[in-house]
Amino acid sequence: MSLAPGRPSQPVFQRSSSGDNLAVLGFSTVQRPSTANFLGTMTGRKSYAPITSTPANQMQLSQESTQRRSSVYSARPSAGFGPAGHMSFFATAPPQNGVPTDPRRLRDASTRQQMGQELMEFLTHRNFEMEMKHSLSHKTMTSPTQKDFNTMFQFLYHCIDPAYKFQKTIDAEVPPLLKQLRYPYEKNITKSQLAAVGGNNWSTFLGLLHWMMQLCKMMEAYTTGGYDEACIEAGYDVTADRITFQFLSDAYKEWLSIEDDDDDEEEAKRRIEPHVEAMAARFDQANQSNLEQIKALEAESKALQEQIDELSKSAPKLAKLDETIKVLEEDRVKFENYNQSMESKVEKYHHRADLLQQEIEKCEQEMREAEDDRNELQRRVDEQGISVQDIDRMNNERERLQRGVEATTQRLEEAKDRTSKKEAETGGKLDELESFVQKYNSLGYQIGIIPATAENAYGYDYELRLSVNQGPNFSASQLGASSQQMMESDRLLADANNGYQPYHLLQSDLKAAKKALQDLRKAISERRNAALEDDMAKMDMLDKTKEALDDKYAEMDALGHRMRAAQEEFEKTKEITNAQKMASDAQIERMEKELGRMRAGLTESVQLMEQREMGTNLEYEQLTLRSSSLREELHTELERMLNDVIKFKIHIQGSLEAYEEFVAQEVERECEEQEVQADEMEE
């Protein structure tokens, strides 16, 4: 574990897409203090630049050459530019409890053949045999050996984390690495299976290798910008991020390459200036298409503004036309409704006309019979000898009666016209009343107040029943009925001589129903308010529970990290203790042998051995004191070096924050200048 204190939070820079203003930035913040005495007695300063661009490369301080390097993927939030930080690829959801089911058809021979072919092509293109010094045969993907799997796994993992070193056996190395990679099916793999790869369990390991191959391809595509277009389509422009990151990487490497004794600020400015110019050129190239698009949009906006000005001149006429169109549209709707009602009436009257035509034919038949009777009577009159004066008098009387009949017929037609109009109006009102009653009952069924046994009715009958006659029946069985019977069954009349009264149509008490509905509405409103308050209280409780769970999960993760660190420390201590024990045993054996030889010649050199023993004890005490003082000096030197490193890191962060503030000020100033220029151009 590192002895350095916790890393401070990373600054979040606001991204600016205007790259041309970065070319004219000053170098007041690009200053590096002297680092001649940065590492004390060390003769040179090592570079802090990362070796590669893989996510597993982390800056480390190595105390011993044999110390093992730990490569752990951390799910920390990214400090990238943009409106929201991108999450790490490995920051996935926590694994599920239990053994997950692999949805891939690994037992299918065709699937295994396809995976093996893709994996073989990937290894061939990446020079697997030359780097690993191990050859693969055509049977490797069907019946591999343990060494084949070990080499393929190490090669694929080195593609992900090139700096990792395998030091233990494969069954001890693989499980923690799979957990770090967040392999979704790592619980399906046991140490016993890792120790004997092949046979029936080969499909599981083939799926693992294929998954690692896909992960390598995805990381390579991300590094080379293969997902930039997808990010742009999703609304995230990463071009400025890549340009800024390239500038910071190149400039930082250039800054680190400057010698420690070189404190010339002009030299630092001169060496950083090409990187600033390159970044400005990249921003100009990236913004070129945007500038052209802005020019085209400005031209289009100007043309549209001219069209708007031209159209605004004819606004009163257009408003008048819109009003006329609105009135005509309302008239059209009214005429359509009127035509529909007239069509229904036309069909009704056509049916009546057919029945009346039958009555007319019957009347014509009766008229012919009456004509025959009249002729017979005329013949009889002639036989009786009526005079001409009597005939004239009779004709005059008939003409007078005929005129009276015609006047009465005309008045009857006028009365029929007025009656038909009133009938049509009354029928429309009655149809409208029926639709209102039907809509009311339908809504009552939906909200549960109809019938009286419904949930919200509480025993009250809210249903409206419209009492209307069925109307005349023009079927064949009633063709001979009298007109009085037809009038009695008319739909628009309560009886033969009277129309409807309100209590005839609706027999329910509307005022009582209205009051009951108002009471029901008030009760429902109270229940709704109570339910909303209860829902808000439950939502607050749910939010508090979620926050508490998040805190517990965070504590559990921290305890897990501490447990793993303690376990690693225990393993290291155990190894050191075992090594010391073995060395002590060997030393004890050597001393016992030497003691035997000393006992053989004890009678001759007792005094000499006592002197040597005293000298050895003195030397041992001196060495013990010297080792203690040396350990304290090394510990003090190590603490001083760590403090210098931390101060250097804090200095870099402060310089970057100052540089960011300077860039933000320059951007604001340039925007204000552009706005002023734009205002001057508009004036």
Side-chain angles (χ1 to χ4, degrees):
M1 298 299 293
S2 175
L3 297 176
R7 185 176 62 179
S9 59
Q10 297 292 336
V12 180
F13 302 102
Q14 298 296 330
R15 182 178 64 187
S16 174
S17 60
S18 59
D20 52 352
N21 58 349
L22 297 177
V24 295
L25 293 177
F27 295 93
S28 60
T29 60
V30 188
Q31 298 178 358
R32 182 174 66 89
S34 176
T35 57
N37 298 322
F38 177 64
L39 294 180
T41 59
M42 297 180 67
T43 57
R45 175 172 57 84
K46 296 183 179 180
S47 174
Y48 290 99
I51 301 174
T52 60
S53 60
T54 59
N57 288 330
Q58 301 176 354
M59 186 173 61
Q60 59 181 350
L61 295 174
S62 176
Q63 296 179 355
E64 296 179 359
S65 61
T66 59
Q67 183 178 2
R68 179 175 176 180
R69 176 187 176 276
S70 176
S71 173
V72 179
Y73 293 97
S74 59
R76 61 174 180 84
S78 174
F81 303 96
H86 303 289
M87 295 302 295
S88 173
F89 170 75
F90 297 100
T92 57
Q96 300 178 355
N97 295 328
V99 179
T101 303
D102 195 344
R104 298 173 296 181
R105 300 181 300 171
L106 299 178
R107 296 293 181 181
D108 190 1
S110 60
T111 303
R112 293 199 303 272
Q113 183 179 1
Q114 182 180 0
M115 287 184 176
Q117 185 177 359
E118 293 177 359
L119 183 59
M120 183 64 76
E121 292 177 357
F122 179 82
L123 296 177
T124 304
H125 292 163
R126 300 305 190 280
N127 297 325
F128 169 79
E129 295 183 354
M130 294 181 64
E131 292 187 8
M132 302 302 295
K133 302 297 188 294
H134 181 76
S135 61
L136 299 177
S137 62
H138 62 282
K139 294 183 179 180
T140 303
M141 296 303 165
T142 56
S143 58
T145 62
Q146 183 68 34
K147 187 176 181 181
D148 293 338
F149 172 75
N150 295 348
T151 54
M152 286 189 290
F153 181 86
Q154 293 176 2
F155 179 78
L156 292 174
Y157 193 80
H158 281 157
C159 292
I160 300 172
D161 185 5
Y164 185 79
K165 296 180 180 180
F166 289 88
Q167 296 180 356
K168 298 182 181 179
T169 58
I170 194 68
D171 56 344
E173 292 273 6
V174 172
L177 295 180
L178 295 182
K179 288 183 180 179
Q180 294 172 7
L181 291 176
R182 299 290 178 90
Y183 182 58
Y185 315 110
E186 56 92 12
K187 292 185 179 180
N188 296 335
I189 300 174
T190 61
K191 290 187 177 182
S192 59
Q193 293 177 347
L194 289 170
V197 176
N200 296 328
N201 61 1
W202 168 239
S203 58
T204 303
F205 294 100
L206 180 60
L208 168 62
L209 297 176
H210 189 267
W211 182 84
M212 294 178 65
M213 177 199 71
Q214 291 178 335
L215 179 60
C216 296
K217 289 183 178 180
M218 187 188 66
M219 293 177 64
E220 291 177 359
Y222 179 79
T223 304
T224 56
Y227 299 119
D228 291 353
E229 295 182 359
C231 294
I232 293 173
E233 293 178 358
Y236 298 98
D237 188 5
V238 296
T239 305
D241 292 344
R242 289 191 176 276
I243 294 174
T244 306
F245 179 76
Q246 186 66 31
F247 162 73
L248 294 175
S249 301
D250 296 341
Y252 190 59
K253 291 179 182 178
E254 185 69 25
W255 183 72
L256 290 175
S257 64
I258 301 175
E259 295 296 334
D260 295 338
D261 298 334
D262 191 0
D263 295 333
D264 190 1
E265 300 299 337
E266 296 296 332
E267 179 65 18
K269 293 180 181 180
R270 185 184 62 78
R271 299 185 67 170
I272 297 298
E273 185 176 2
H275 299 288
V276 177
E277 294 177 354
M279 180 180 64
R282 293 192 188 98
F283 270 114
D284 292 339
Q285 184 178 2
N287 294 334
Q288 187 65 32
S289 59
N290 296 332
L291 294 175
E292 294 177 356
Q293 187 177 4
I294 289 173
K295 292 179 181 179
L297 291 175
E298 288 178 351
E300 185 178 358
S301 175
K302 185 177 180 181
L304 292 175
Q305 186 63 36
E306 293 177 354
Q307 294 179 5
I308 291 172
D309 295 338
E310 293 178 358
L311 292 175
S312 62
K313 296 178 181 179
S314 59
K317 186 176 180 181
L318 291 175
K320 186 177 181 181
L321 291 176
D322 291 338
E323 185 177 359
T324 305
I325 291 171
K326 185 177 180 180
V327 173
L328 293 176
E329 186 67 24
E330 294 177 355
D331 294 340
R332 182 183 65 81
V333 174
K334 293 179 180 178
F335 278 119
E336 288 179 354
N337 296 332
Y338 177 75
N339 289 334
Q340 291 178 359
S341 62
M342 289 297 104
E343 287 177 359
S344 62
K345 290 184 178 181
V346 166
E347 292 179 357
K348 180 179 178 181
Y349 287 124
H350 275 311
H351 184 60
R352 288 186 178 182
D354 294 338
L355 297 178
L356 293 175
Q357 184 65 30
Q358 296 177 3
E359 293 290 336
I360 289 171
E361 292 177 357
K362 186 176 180 180
C363 292
E364 288 178 353
Q365 181 66 26
E366 293 177 354
M367 189 177 64
R368 284 193 296 270
E369 294 176 357
E371 187 70 25
D372 294 339
D373 294 340
R374 188 183 67 81
N375 293 333
E376 180 66 23
L377 292 174
Q378 184 66 34
R379 185 182 61 76
R380 291 179 182 179
V381 168
D382 292 339
E383 290 177 357
Q384 292 177 1
I386 299 174
S387 62
V388 176
Q389 290 79 8
D390 295 335
I391 293 173
D392 291 338
R393 187 180 69 252
M394 293 172 66
N395 288 334
N396 292 332
E397 185 67 21
R398 187 182 66 182
E399 289 177 358
R400 184 180 65 79
L401 295 174
Q402 184 68 29
R403 286 193 297 272
V405 169
E406 290 178 356
T408 304
T409 304
Q410 184 177 2
R411 290 196 301 272
L412 180 61
E413 291 294 332
E414 292 176 356
K416 286 183 178 180
D417 291 339
R418 291 194 298 272
T419 303
S420 62
K421 292 179 180 179
K422 292 294 183 180
E423 181 182 357
E425 184 178 357
T426 306
K429 295 295 183 180
L430 186 58
D431 293 337
E432 186 177 357
L433 179 59
E434 288 180 347
S435 64
F436 284 153
V437 171
Q438 185 178 3
K439 183 177 180 181
Y440 169 79
N441 292 333
S442 176
L443 293 175
Y445 278 110
Q446 292 178 7
I447 65 178
I449 62 173
I450 297 176
T453 58
E455 179 182 0
N456 297 324
Y458 300 109
Y460 187 83
D461 188 7
Y462 291 93
E463 186 175 5
L464 297 180
R465 297 178 180 84
L466 191 64
S467 300
V468 182
N469 292 330
Q470 296 298 325
N473 189 1
F474 297 101
S475 60
S477 62
Q478 294 183 354
L479 289 176
S482 63
S483 60
Q484 181 67 23
Q485 294 176 347
M486 293 179 64
M487 290 177 63
E488 290 178 355
S489 62
D490 196 344
R491 182 171 178 271
L492 300 178
L493 297 176
D495 52 29
N497 298 319
N498 297 317
Y500 290 110
Q501 294 297 328
Y503 59 85
H504 290 155
L505 294 175
L506 296 174
Q507 299 179 2
S508 302
D509 190 358
L510 296 181
K511 293 183 179 179
K514 183 178 180 181
K515 182 180 179 184
L517 286 174
Q518 290 177 351
D519 295 339
L520 178 62
R521 180 179 181 182
K522 183 178 180 181
I524 291 175
S525 178
E526 292 176 355
R527 292 203 307 268
R528 176 178 173 273
N529 293 333
L532 287 175
E533 292 177 358
D534 190 13
D535 187 34
M536 292 296 293
K538 291 181 179 179
M539 289 297 293
D540 294 338
M541 184 181 297
L542 181 60
D543 294 338
K544 293 179 181 178
T545 306
K546 287 183 178 179
E547 292 178 358
L549 286 176
D550 293 339
D551 295 338
K552 294 298 181 182
Y553 283 140
E555 292 178 2
M556 187 171 64
D557 293 338
L559 291 175
H561 287 301
R562 292 176 60 185
M563 183 188 69
R564 287 193 293 270
Q567 188 175 3
E568 291 180 359
E569 187 69 21
F570 172 73
E571 292 292 337
K572 294 179 181 178
T573 307
K574 185 178 178 181
E575 292 178 359
I576 295 171
T577 305
N578 292 332
Q580 291 178 354
K581 181 178 178 298
M582 293 176 64
S584 299
D585 293 340
Q587 186 176 1
I588 289 171
E589 291 179 359
R590 289 194 302 270
M591 291 178 68
E592 287 179 352
K593 292 179 181 179
E594 186 177 357
L595 183 59
R597 288 193 300 269
M598 290 172 63
R599 285 177 179 176
L602 183 62
T603 56
E604 298 178 358
S605 58
V606 172
Q607 187 177 2
L608 180 61
M609 294 302 296
E610 289 178 355
Q611 294 176 357
R612 290 181 62 184
E613 183 181 1
M614 293 174 63
T616 304
N617 291 331
L618 292 174
E619 186 178 359
Y620 175 75
E621 292 177 357
Q622 292 176 359
L623 289 175
T624 303
L625 295 174
R626 184 179 177 185
S627 62
S628 300
S629 61
L630 181 61
R631 185 182 294 107
E632 292 178 357
E633 292 176 359
L634 291 175
H635 184 69
T636 304
E637 184 68 19
L638 180 60
E639 288 182 352
R640 188 183 61 78
M641 292 170 63
L642 290 175
N643 291 329
D644 293 339
V645 170
I646 293 168
K647 292 178 181 178
F648 179 66
K649 182 178 179 182
I650 294 173
H651 169 71
I652 291 175
Q653 290 181 350
S655 300
L656 290 176
E657 290 176 357
Y659 193 79
E660 177 193 3
E661 293 177 358
F662 179 76
V663 170
Q665 293 175 0
E666 289 295 323
V667 170
E668 292 178 358
R669 184 180 59 78
E670 184 177 1
C671 292
E672 292 177 357
E673 292 178 357
Q674 290 179 358
E675 291 178 358
V676 172
Q677 292 178 1
D679 295 338
E680 292 177 356
M681 292 177 65
E682 290 179 358
E683 292 176 358

